[in-house]
Amino acid sequence: MKVTGLGIAAVGSCTAASPMPSLLVDEAALRDTLTRGELSGCDLDEQYCLLCDRAAAGAPIALSGRLVLDRLGVGRIHAYHAVHCGDHPLSAVGTLAAHLTVDPAARRGLVLAPSHEGRPAAAALVLEKGLARHRLLAVSVRDHRASADPHPGIRIPGARPTRAAPEARPRIAAAGVAVRRHEPGRSAVATMVDRVSVSWREHLGECLQDAPIAISAVIAQTLRQAGIAWSTIDHVALHTPSAETNRAFRRHFGLQRHQVTDIGPETGHSRAAGLLIAARMVFESDHPTGTRVLVTSLGGDGALAAAVVEI
């Protein structure tokens, strides 16, 4: 999904050094987000809120999420569970972007990645219309579970679903298969997906199933939708399941260590909160204006997603 006219107003988080009630961690993360964005609770009234959490289809927003909003003085809000995307924050960001795009009365929205028992970390993100900084250029989502539609994309409310372009679909290659070189009439993006698919399998085998192949296709699709080349990506905000996966990611995408900010489970952060924390660290660094950041994560079931943000 190509995104225009939307920017990230703020990303905030809270990590507790010792176990504490999840509600307090969630509240601290949301307060931190509002402070960074110079916002108050009333600025979210009548806006959108998506909770990155698992819930049964049709379930209302979790009680903890509603309690946090009440404590911050948020009145009525359009609240949703990110049921279709599990706990992936970028899938929630994509859905939020779709809501903001089709609702002329909406100005901003909130994505909350709540804390879970044993993982005292929470994070939140505010997406807002008309921001010149931290512009969201594109976000793509795919569900890589075997029983799911392999190419669902992001369905904008009220819009007809569209089929993915042929080159957006990953070519699943086995280890040892020769990498296809760039051919006349074949997109460079598709060739990149082939190369990454093969090299991931050669180094990691089947230990991560098809997730690395799927994420390479998602990244390629995001770049195409943003209308930019891989060579223009300056930094990556990443969440990986292990240090080994981080190294493999950097090796196969030709990235140096300083080009990647990775928050993995070794730090005690779950994927939803961890990825937003990584993004916050990148946005608050001294990268110059115009820096393009790829935000993505690996591991876990459900959706895989990637986004491109221009600082």
Side-chain angles (χ1 to χ4, degrees), residues 51-226:
L51 192 70
C52 297
D53 206 352
R54 300 188 181 279
I61 191 169
L63 178 60
S64 61
R66 180 65 260 179
L67 289 175
V68 169
L69 294 173
D70 286 342
R71 292 166 70 98
L72 270 68
V74 179
R76 177 178 171 80
I77 195 165
H78 304 290
Y80 299 88
H81 262 300
V83 177
H84 69 284
C85 60
D87 62 352
H88 204 304
L90 293 184
S91 191
V93 168
T95 304
L96 176 58
H99 283 307
L100 295 177
T101 299
V102 300
D103 185 352
R107 181 181 175 188
R108 60 176 63 89
L110 170 73
V111 172
L112 174 62
S115 177
H116 293 277
E117 185 177 354
R119 294 185 176 184
L125 175 149
V126 174
L127 196 63
E128 185 173 326
K129 290 181 179 177
L131 287 184
R133 67 182 189 278
H134 299 167
R135 294 189 305 124
L136 183 64
L137 302 183
V139 56
S140 297
V141 181
R142 287 189 183 179
D143 194 323
H144 72 281
R145 292 171 296 186
S147 61
D149 176 2
H151 309 287
I154 294 178
R155 294 178 173 83
I156 301 175
R160 293 183 178 180
T162 57
R163 291 182 177 274
E167 64 268 24
R169 305 192 175 194
R171 173 178 174 269
I172 300 177
V177 176
V179 179
R180 296 181 63 175
R181 297 182 179 179
H182 183 62
E183 306 166 3
R186 178 174 174 79
S187 75
V189 169
T191 303
M192 183 191 80
V193 171
D194 285 347
R195 184 184 73 247
V196 173
S197 299
V198 173
S199 57
W200 269 103
R201 285 187 179 275
E202 286 177 344
H203 286 272
L204 298 180
E206 302 294 333
C207 66
L208 294 178
Q209 300 178 353
D210 289 338
I213 296 175
I215 199 61
S216 66
V218 171
I219 292 172
Q221 178 173 297
T222 308
L223 295 174
R224 181 172 54 256
Q225 291 172 340

